[in-house]
Amino acid sequence: MSRIYEFTVEAPPGDIITYDPVRLADAMRIDDPSRLAIEAMGSRALVTVYPSDPLADVRLPDPALLEMDERGRIWIGRYHNGRKVYVQLYDPASGSAQRLLVFGTTGAGKSTLAQIILAAMKRSGIATFYGDLKEGQSAPEALRNVDWPTRSQEGVMAQLHATWCVMKDRAARYAAAGRSKFLRDRPDPLLYMVIDEANRLLEKGAPYRDLATFYIKDIGRTGRSLGVGIALLAQAGHLDELGGSDTMRAMLKEGEVLLLRWTSSMMQQLVADGLLSPGQKLAPIPKRAGATRLISQFETEADDERPGTQGTGYRISGPYPGAKMRAFNVGGPVPTEGLDPEMLALYGDGPHACLEKAAWPVAGGAYVERLDGEAAYAAAFPKATGSTETTVARSPAPGPGQAAPGAARLTIPDRVQAALEAADGEMDAHALLEAVNADGGRPVKLGSIRNALIDLHRTTGPKECP
Ligand SMILES: Nc1ncnc2c1ncn2[C@@H]1O[C@H](COP(=O)(O)OP(=O)(O)OP(=O)(O)O)[C@@H](O)[C@H]1O
Ligand SMILES: [Mg+2]
């Protein structure tokens, strides 16, 4: 059979079509459910039967095609019917950045999709802060292709803080210039904060959960019109696991949402929140595609390596929420020793965009030096270090209009200046640390010293943007 069959099914008006895809495939004698695509909407449904799995291998013809189009969309994969799946990162009409959420269980293909999105961001001149809470394992090729990569909770907190400060700075600058909306690259670039394994930052008991939730919520709410977007990739059984359900609910309602292989509780929540209508049941994504069959003990054992379904899911915020899609299968076919050349090719050799220079001082030393870990945290939140970090991390988040934690780092540069003046010759950061910590004041860490040095010598920041 090589034909495609498409049926339109209608229930009496007022009735809602519900179905069980596995039972439907069985009733239609279709041994491989991945050949079947069902899109139900209220009393109507479109059923398509393919000769073979239409999403068996979805390839990107050319990495150059990842660049954002004039409508601010990037191409990330295909629907079962061959149509293109886009994700909008920028709305030129309103001048706004977007919020993007990608959910999926472990191994569902989130980080591979993250690479597609990050490469598209690089090719589109978007300045990107990327935090991977899987210690940099998720997308190693991304680390050299974004403006500021981090691999730790502390690094991500510093990035969120910097993003928030840049957002406030842009608001003040645009207001002073009498501008009502963000205009891409005139002069500031779009800025995105991307967090992979965001569940590790936001789950109950995570050390920075409250403050991270505040930043994500506030960036999600006010960053759009300032060209500051946020993208989270997470595995979660329930929205409450991600910083409290309100944070995600707001992002889900208005953002771009991609659902890869999911858990049933997540699905129930999406229906409960009105993101999916009860009649809009999505066919679950099995871990493996292909036909399963009963094998008698008298048959020889089949060598039955069925293909995986990673990257398959639904773009539930789009015009076809019930249409099965698959993100591009990018990267080499087999794991490589080091970085994957095919994945690197996705990003291209060109330079990545950087945050506008005007915002470097507010982004702070953690950004200017592209710090990670404790050093990044100390630079972003100097008040927290030396005392108990967890106290600050768990303290109430600042309200709108209030200074962010760490904004009041006023004394350390003075102390560094004093130590420099008291010294006979030149001092490196370690010698300065020793001198400052010997001045009888509050103990400080190396990152704070570095930060203070940058504040003192702002015009000659150590890392120039390409
Ligand atoms: N669209 C796709 N087509 C084919 N294979 C894919 C696709 N996306 C991902 N894969 C493969 O699936 C595997 C898991 O993908 P990935 O690491 O992106 O998943 P993940 O959701 O980030 O998992 P984890 O929760 O472990 O971080 C990888 O080997 C990858 O090559
Ligand atoms: Mg991953």
Side-chain angles (χ1 to χ4, degrees), residues 107 109-112 132 134 138 196-197:
K110 300 179 295 299
S111 301
T112 307
D132 173 21
K134 220 175 177 185
S138 296
D196 198 353
E197 291 286 330

Side-chain angles (χ1 to χ4, degrees), residues 22 25-26 28-35 51 289-293 306:
V22 176
D26 194 49
M28 294 173 82
R29 296 281 182 268
I30 296 170
D31 52 357
D32 174 5
S34 55
R35 286 174 44 212
T292 38
R293 62 182 192 93
R306 288 157 57 211

Side-chain angles (χ1 to χ4, degrees), residues 374-462:
E374 292 291 336
Y377 193 85
F381 306 100
K383 273 174 111 184
T385 46
S387 59
T388 49
E389 282 177 25
T390 45
T391 311
V392 169
R394 287 182 185 143
S395 67
Q402 276 178 267
R409 51 183 138 82
L410 300 173
T411 58
I412 297 174
D414 292 342
R415 290 165 68 190
V416 168
Q417 183 86 52
L420 283 169
E421 281 167 12
D424 289 338
E426 287 195 356
M427 289 174 102
D428 67 8
H430 291 273
L432 260 174
L433 176 70
E434 216 168 284
V436 169
N437 275 332
D439 70 2
R442 188 167 56 79
V444 290
K445 289 194 175 176
L446 189 59
S448 312
I449 298 288
R450 290 210 171 107
N451 196 34
L453 281 171
I454 291 153
D455 277 352
L456 291 170
H457 306 285
R458 208 168 266 162
T459 47
T460 52

Side-chain angles (χ1 to χ4, degrees), residues 105-112 134 197 235 310-311 326-329:
T105 52
T106 180
K110 300 179 295 299
S111 301
T112 307
K134 220 175 177 185
E197 291 286 330
Q235 44 171 309
Q310 305 96 326
R326 194 167 192 181
F328 292 122
N329 183 7

Side-chain angles (χ1 to χ4, degrees), residues 73-159:
R73 305 175 308 174
I74 58 165
W75 183 24
I76 61 153
R78 285 196 192 277
Y79 288 108
H80 65 89
N81 51 22
R83 294 204 174 115
K84 293 178 174 182
V85 183
Y86 292 107
V87 162
Q88 193 177 36
L89 295 181
Y90 176 62
D91 177 4
S94 61
S96 46
Q98 302 296 309
R99 288 152 285 198
L100 171 63
L101 282 171
V102 178
F103 288 121
T105 52
T106 180
K110 300 179 295 299
S111 301
T112 307
L113 179 53
Q115 299 248 43
I116 295 171
I117 294 167
L118 290 166
M121 286 177 171
K122 181 184 174 191
R123 287 179 178 271
S124 310
I126 296 173
T128 308
F129 297 171
Y130 166 62
D132 173 21
L133 294 173
K134 220 175 177 185
E135 289 93 40
Q137 269 190 341
S138 296
E141 292 80 8
L143 301 176
R144 60 165 73 171
N145 282 297
V146 296
D147 189 16
W148 182 11
T150 65
R151 321 154 184 232
S152 63
Q153 301 237 359
E154 288 73 19
V156 169
M157 288 309 294
Q159 288 175 316

Side-chain angles (χ1 to χ4, degrees), residues 211-295:
L211 195 52
T213 302
F214 164 77
Y215 282 131
I216 289 170
K217 221 172 181 169
D218 209 38
I219 295 166
R221 196 167 43 199
T222 46
R224 300 179 59 227
S225 58
L226 300 160
V228 180
I230 187 154
L232 305 181
L233 299 104
Q235 44 171 309
H238 204 273
L239 292 186
D240 290 339
E241 289 167 21
L242 298 174
S245 52
D246 283 357
T247 314
M248 292 300 133
R249 209 166 269 145
M251 286 183 72
L252 279 167
K253 286 236 158 86
E254 288 156 61
E256 286 275 8
V257 185
L258 289 146
L259 193 60
L260 304 182
R261 216 167 52 228
W262 60 81
T263 58
S264 58
S265 56
M266 176 61 82
M267 186 58 60
Q268 279 162 13
Q269 180 123 33
L270 294 173
V271 173
D273 276 347
L275 267 134
L276 288 174
S277 65
Q280 216 183 37
K281 190 175 170 185
L282 305 178
I285 314 284
K287 215 167 173 180
R288 303 209 158 266
T292 38
R293 62 182 192 93
L294 298 171
I295 299 182

Side-chain angles (χ1 to χ4, degrees), residues 265-347:
S265 56
M266 176 61 82
M267 186 58 60
Q268 279 162 13
Q269 180 123 33
L270 294 173
V271 173
D273 276 347
L275 267 134
L276 288 174
S277 65
Q280 216 183 37
K281 190 175 170 185
L282 305 178
I285 314 284
K287 215 167 173 180
R288 303 209 158 266
T292 38
R293 62 182 192 93
L294 298 171
I295 299 182
S296 146
Q297 61 177 306
F298 302 110
E299 285 180 70
T300 45
E301 208 175 326
D303 180 15
D304 195 17
E305 196 41 54
R306 288 157 57 211
T309 59
Q310 305 96 326
T312 309
Y314 299 89
R315 179 180 168 234
I316 58 175
S317 52
Y320 316 111
K324 202 161 26 161
M325 54 140 280
R326 194 167 192 181
F328 292 122
N329 183 7
V330 290
V334 286
T336 46
E337 286 283 329
L339 297 179
D340 178 347
E342 285 192 37
M343 205 63 103
L344 284 172
L346 212 58
Y347 293 87

